[in-house]
Amino acid sequence: SQQGEEDPQALSIQEGENATMNCSYKTSINNLQWYRQNSGRGLVHLILIRSNEREKHSGRLRVTLDTSKKSSSLLITASRAADTASYFCATEQNTGNQFYFGTGTSLTVIP
Amino acid sequence: DVKVTQSSRYLVKRTGEKVFLECVQDMDHENMFWYRQDPGLGLRLIYFSYDVKMKEKGDIPEGYSVSREKKERFSLILESASTNQTSMYLCASSHPPFEQYFGPGTRLTVT
């Protein structure tokens, strides 16, 4: 399978703490994206990082990409209860417009 | 704002029925996608389309077909529903090479 894998599968933290999620993938990519999904809803795009970028910020989100290790991490700083959701990474392969999603990290932020 | 709508949030069908899931996007996106999402398996691509009347198989096309007669509409068809097609179905659209926009999902139960 060309799917990415997120790690950990589940994460529980206290409000105000930072949350870090990791994503590993298998083949060369054009870009890597992170999405968020609230329970029972569709996915919402958070951030895109291109294969020639190493780090990107958006508000409380920080994404890194290490193409040599085929891995990415998503850091959410100063977490809030509203950040409770599942987070997915998705890779766009060099071969086309297809996206490959990981299995997700379920984040619970305890107030 | 980009809007992707799906015809039903919840659907219950009987084994052997023909099922149509409709997806409409309002941003003139070229690409449209159908995924199914199951616990522990993440999102798996069923079919995608990069133009009207064009379609490509994803990772799990068996038991499904699609139709894209107009740019804004992408339909997923279960020719003869089976219980193992009980799942959450997510539609998405994108203007390459940018992010995907997802609909709210259809939770299909086949009894």
Side-chain angles (χ1 to χ4, degrees):
Chain A
S1 169
Q2 293 167 295
Q3 248 183 356
E5 286 187 17
E6 284 93 346
D7 170 59
Q9 286 188 333
L11 181 60
S12 182
I13 58 173
Q14 296 289 330
E15 200 166 33
E17 293 182 340
N18 295 342
T20 300
M21 289 158 264
N22 302 295
C23 169
S24 59
Y25 57 93
K26 294 178 181 173
T27 63
S28 295
I29 61 171
N30 286 332
N31 64 64
L32 185 143
Q33 304 178 28
W34 283 91
Y35 289 80
R36 165 201 169 116
Q37 183 181 34
N38 287 80
S39 180
R41 311 291 298 189
L43 280 71
V44 175
H45 179 260
L46 294 175
I47 197 165
L48 178 154
I49 186 166
R50 303 192 190 285
S51 59
N52 61 353
E53 297 175 313
R54 290 298 165 256
E55 188 169 314
K56 205 158 183 183
H57 296 254
S58 176
R60 292 185 295 113
L61 305 180
R62 174 178 166 253
V63 169
T64 61
L65 179 64
D66 186 337
T67 52
S68 66
K69 295 180 178 177
K70 292 187 170 60
S71 68
S72 173
S73 67
L74 170 68
L75 169 67
I76 304 174
T77 60
S79 63
R80 304 166 182 168
D83 293 329
T84 294
S86 292
Y87 292 82
F88 295 85
C89 67
T91 55
E92 185 186 10
Q93 311 287 308
N94 288 334
T95 53
N97 290 324
Q98 206 166 337
F99 289 78
Y100 293 91
F101 283 81
T103 51
T105 291
S106 176
L107 173 66
T108 301
V109 180
I110 302 164
Chain B
D1 276 353
V2 174
K3 203 167 205 176
V4 180
T5 56
Q6 294 183 228
S7 49
S8 305
R9 288 298 314 276
Y10 301 94
L11 209 52
V12 179
K13 295 291 182 181
R14 292 189 181 275
T15 302
E17 278 192 83
K18 192 168 186 176
V19 182
F20 293 88
L21 302 182
E22 301 281 330
C23 175
V24 178
Q25 51 97 359
D26 66 357
M27 280 301 291
D28 203 36
H29 284 168
E30 286 86 356
N31 292 0
M32 296 188 75
F33 306 80
W34 275 108
Y35 297 89
R36 65 176 282 176
Q37 184 178 23
D38 301 287
L41 297 178
L43 273 75
R44 292 179 292 165
L45 181 65
I46 305 171
Y47 270 98
F48 70 100
S49 167
Y50 52 87
D51 201 353
V52 176
K53 296 192 188 293
M54 306 301 287
K55 60 185 178 184
E56 293 284 342
K57 292 180 180 179
D59 295 324
I60 51 164
E62 298 80 16
Y64 303 93
S65 62
V66 289
S67 171
R68 194 166 180 201
E69 296 296 320
K70 294 184 178 181
K71 193 174 186 180
E72 68 270 18
R73 187 180 297 269
F74 191 35
S75 302
L76 180 70
I77 303 153
L78 287 65
E79 296 289 341
S80 178
S82 63
T83 55
N84 63 12
Q85 292 178 310
T86 292
S87 186
M88 168 75 101
Y89 289 88
L90 293 164
C91 173
S93 72
S94 75
H95 176 71
F98 302 115
E99 67 269 23
Q100 294 192 331
Y101 291 86
F102 281 81
T106 295
R107 187 166 293 281
L108 172 67
T109 302
V110 183
T111 62

